[in-house]
Amino acid sequence: MMLVLALVAVPGAAAAQEYQTTRRSYTFMDNRLTVTVAAEAAGELHVIRGERGRVEVAARSDDGFPGFGLAGSPYRELTLTAPGAGRVQYLVVVPRRVSVSVQLPGERRSRSVSGDGGVFRWGDDWPGDGLEDAGPILPTTSSGLYVALVRTWAPRIVDVPDLAAVRSLSVRVEGGEFRVAASRPLAVTAGDRSRLEVNVAGEPVDIVLYLPAGSSGIEVRSAGQRLAQVTGGHLRSACSGAVVQAPTDHQRWLTVWPEAGRVACR
C-alpha cells in the first residue's frame, strides 16, 4: 500500500547561522528515509531519534556552505552537501518509528540505522580541530534538550533505577504528551502502559520528564524511593531539596538534584 506523504518546511524554522551552523525542520509523515551524504569533505553524521512527525537537520563546517534538501517519491531522500568545506558535521533527528538508511561517500551499499540512532564518519582527515568546540549542533526542543521518547499517554510509574549519572531530574506537568528528554542523546526502552524504565550511564545528564496536563496517579521512582507523585495535575515530593515551580497557570515543575547518586526522601 502506497503511503501518502505531507511535506512542508516548518514556518519560522528556516536556515539560521551560528558558528557556521545551518538548521531546518520538516514535517515528515512517511515511515522510511534515506540519508545520502554528497559532501566531498571529510566529515561526521549523527542520527538520533526525536519527535514524531518531524525531521530536523543541522550542518556546520569550518569553511564552505553546508546544506541539505529533502525530496523524492515514493520514499523520501535527504541529501547532505557541503561545497567548498574542509570538514563538516551533520545532525539528523528522525522520528523513532521511521526506518533510516545512510549512503556515505565512496560506498556502494547503504548502511542501516539502529533503533537508537548512530554515528557515521568518512574521509581520512577526521576528526579535525575547531568544530568540536563550537557547541551543540541542534537541540530537539526549544530549551536545548534531546527528545528520547514521545507518547500520547504516560505510564503509571517512571523508574530511573540508577541516579549516579543524573545531574538533575525534573518532572514537568504541561502540554498534551508524555516525553522523556535529556541534555544529551539518551536511549529509552519503551515498556508497557504501566511502567517505563530509564537507564542512564556515562557522562552526567539532566533529565526532564514531561507529563500531560491534568495527569493523575503517576509516580517517579528510583531505587525503591518515590521521588515525585502527580495527582490531579498537582506535583508533590517528600524529598529533601526538591524545588516546585509554577512558571505559568498551566505549568507545574518539580526538580531534584541527586548527590552521589542518591536523593533523601521520606
Side-chain angles (χ1 to χ4, degrees):
M1 180 177 65
M2 183 173 293
L3 297 176
V4 178
L5 175 70
L7 175 63
V8 293
V10 175
Q17 199 73 16
E18 179 182 357
Y19 292 107
Q20 298 180 334
T21 299
T22 304
R23 304 172 180 170
R24 194 160 189 172
S25 297
Y26 302 92
T27 296
F28 190 84
M29 304 305 294
D30 209 338
N31 62 358
R32 182 175 175 182
L33 176 67
T34 298
V35 180
T36 299
V37 181
E40 296 181 359
E44 182 178 62
L45 165 65
H46 290 252
V47 179
I48 65 172
R49 298 296 179 174
E51 299 176 85
R52 62 180 180 176
R54 185 164 66 175
V55 167
E56 297 179 271
V57 192
R60 71 180 178 201
S61 69
D62 57 359
D63 203 353
F65 302 93
F68 33 79
L70 183 58
S73 180
Y75 299 113
R76 297 302 175 181
E77 180 179 16
L78 175 68
T79 302
L80 310 177
T81 63
R87 291 176 297 262
V88 65
Q89 279 183 311
Y90 301 100
L91 176 63
V92 178
V93 185
V94 184
R96 183 165 294 276
R97 295 182 182 275
V98 172
S99 174
V100 184
S101 61
V102 174
Q103 182 67 56
L104 297 179
E107 295 189 2
R108 299 181 61 181
R109 301 183 62 180
S110 62
R111 304 188 190 187
S112 61
V113 177
S114 69
D116 296 328
V119 179
F120 305 87
R121 297 182 177 91
W122 62 94
D124 296 331
D125 57 344
W126 186 264
D129 53 1
L131 288 177
E132 295 86 347
D133 299 325
I137 297 178
L138 177 71
T140 58
T141 72
S142 60
S143 57
L145 299 173
Y146 294 98
V147 177
L149 179 67
V150 179
R151 284 177 168 175
T152 56
W153 46 269
R156 292 296 181 186
I157 296 177
V158 180
D159 190 11
V160 187
D162 190 352
L163 297 174
V166 177
R167 184 166 44 212
S168 69
L169 176 61
S170 180
V171 182
R172 301 183 181 182
V173 180
E174 61 180 59
E177 293 181 322
F178 171 72
R179 298 185 187 183
V180 179
S183 56
R184 59 175 168 83
L186 185 69
V188 177
T189 302
D192 57 26
R193 285 181 173 267
S194 63
R195 188 182 187 90
L196 176 74
E197 190 169 288
V198 181
N199 291 292
V200 184
E203 295 297 319
V205 63
D206 300 296
I207 298 176
V208 180
L209 306 174
Y210 294 88
L211 304 180
S215 294
S216 189
I218 299 175
E219 293 185 2
V220 179
R221 306 183 66 88
S222 178
Q225 292 189 112
R226 185 170 62 194
L227 305 183
Q229 183 176 18
V230 184
T231 304
H234 296 285
L235 273 165
R236 296 181 176 83
S237 177
C239 299
S240 61
V243 175
V244 179
Q245 300 170 275
T248 71
D249 291 340
H250 306 289
Q251 294 175 300
R252 296 294 183 270
W253 297 0
L254 185 149
T255 305
V256 296
W257 290 267
E259 294 185 7
R262 295 184 60 82
V263 177
C265 303
R266 297 194 300 273

